[in-house]
Amino acid sequence: MTTLFSSPNSRSLENETFSICLAEILKADLDNIPAASSGLGLDGIGYWLAAQNLALIPVREPASFQWAGWWIGRLEGGDGYVVMAGTPSDVAWVPQDVISGSGDEIEGWVIAPPALKLPVRDATHGTVEAIYRYADSSLPGELIPSARLITGVGIEGDRYALGKGHFQSEGRWGQALTLIEAEAIERLASEHGVEMPVVQARRNIVTRNIDLNSLMGKRFRIGGLLCQGSRLAEPCAWLQITTPAGMLRGLVHRGGLRADILEDGTIKHGDAIVAEPE
């Protein structure tokens, strides 16, 4: 793997774009971030991040790396650094006048706090606003008034229940059911200017007034049926292909929840969603 900033007088454009990407991720003033071209290099940026209670971690195998959030990468054929995101990852933001490249990631860096802090809302009792199923990864979604949940399998007639999911893997947890907040889609439009029909998010259940991030690792009920929040449903490169530009950036950490189904039964539009007591 290439050593970042090994020669401050060379690769000046790449070094500059690293700081630009860092400023974009942190929403920081670029003038306050040490510039590699001045000779401060990685050590200078590292010390600056430490003062912000953050760390810069090199990625060992960037071509296959997945991260539930922002990271900085450099692609083969590119002339600078870009902001990556998603699982699997794709380019989420490119500095002005930079050629991002079209090959594999050849270098990667994660900006990590001591603990991942997710956006949370004070919303603990929600409802099912819509239910969708997707018979195949290549087919559009179908809005349905009710759905049968099958323990350990998924929604009856959905691609994952049929074994046709794009990321299908036998025994993989968190693939039976996906949920997304209606508020996240509305925020995508109001804060990022991305108008996207909720069906394009390709999640099974659209919720209202429930903080899905708070359900990760916890049990909850949909219409009385017990489910388990297993992992975040972060946006990915596959989804970005079929959705408007800017979707990936706007849904990082707000892409919803992947869950496992623990009880068979039927759910319907308007059903309550309630977290189980601790």
Side-chain angles (χ1 to χ4, degrees):
M1 177 174 159
T2 305
T3 302
L4 182 62
F5 305 147
S6 57
S7 175
N9 294 322
S10 65
R11 298 169 57 196
S12 58
L13 174 60
E14 292 178 6
N15 295 349
E16 180 183 2
T17 57
F18 189 94
S19 296
I20 293 171
C21 288
L22 187 60
E24 174 66 17
I25 291 174
L26 300 178
K27 299 304 178 186
D29 188 338
L30 180 61
D31 292 338
N32 293 333
I33 299 177
S37 58
S38 68
L40 293 174
L42 182 56
D43 286 345
I45 289 179
Y47 285 126
W48 181 84
L49 282 169
Q52 323 303 316
N53 200 30
L54 294 168
L56 196 61
I57 302 171
V59 175
R60 177 171 293 181
E61 296 180 359
S64 59
F65 182 62
Q66 298 186 33
W67 175 249
W70 312 113
W71 57 286
I72 298 174
R74 186 165 64 87
L75 278 63
E76 187 175 5
D79 63 359
Y81 289 92
V82 296
V83 176
M84 308 288 295
T87 54
S89 291
D90 200 357
V91 176
W93 184 80
V94 181
Q96 186 176 5
D97 299 326
V98 168
I99 298 173
S100 63
S102 57
D104 287 339
E105 296 88 342
I106 58 176
E107 194 171 333
W109 300 84
V110 171
I111 301 92
L116 182 64
K117 184 177 181 181
L118 299 174
V120 294
R121 300 186 298 114
D122 184 18
T124 57
H125 293 75
T127 57
V128 174
E129 184 157 296
I131 305 172
Y132 290 95
R133 66 182 172 197
Y134 305 81
D136 191 275
S137 294
S138 62
L139 296 176
E142 175 190 8
L143 178 64
I144 54 179
S146 63
R148 177 167 172 76
L149 304 189
I150 305 173
T151 302
V153 176
I155 285 183
E156 189 173 58
D158 186 68
R159 63 203 188 283
Y160 279 93
L162 297 172
K164 299 179 179 180
H166 187 73
F167 299 109
Q168 192 92 29
S169 178
E170 185 176 354
R172 187 182 189 189
W173 49 277
Q175 67 180 8
L177 189 67
T178 54
L179 305 91
I180 191 168
E181 298 175 13
E183 294 89 344
I185 300 299
E186 292 163 357
R187 175 182 175 273
L188 192 62
S190 63
E191 297 186 17
H192 296 270
V194 179
E195 298 284 349
M196 184 178 80
V198 68
V199 65
Q200 288 188 9
R202 301 193 72 79
R203 307 293 191 243
N204 298 125
I205 299 175
V206 182
T207 69
R208 175 73 67 179
N209 293 330
I210 185 74
D211 179 11
L212 294 179
N213 284 355
S214 70
L215 298 179
M216 188 171 64
K218 299 180 181 179
R219 292 188 172 191
F220 62 96
R221 293 187 180 274
I222 306 175
L225 300 183
L226 190 62
C227 299
Q228 168 82 34
S230 300
R231 52 196 172 96
L232 294 182
E234 293 286 6
C236 64
W238 171 253
L239 186 60
Q240 183 157 268
I241 294 173
T242 59
T243 54
M247 174 285 305
L248 196 152
R249 175 187 175 91
L251 287 184
V252 168
H253 294 341
R254 297 181 185 274
L257 185 71
R258 298 188 183 278
D260 289 297
I261 301 167
L262 305 182
E263 292 179 353
D264 292 350
T266 300
I267 62 171
K268 62 183 185 302
H269 177 272
D271 274 349
I273 305 173
V274 183
E276 285 282 270
E278 293 289 343

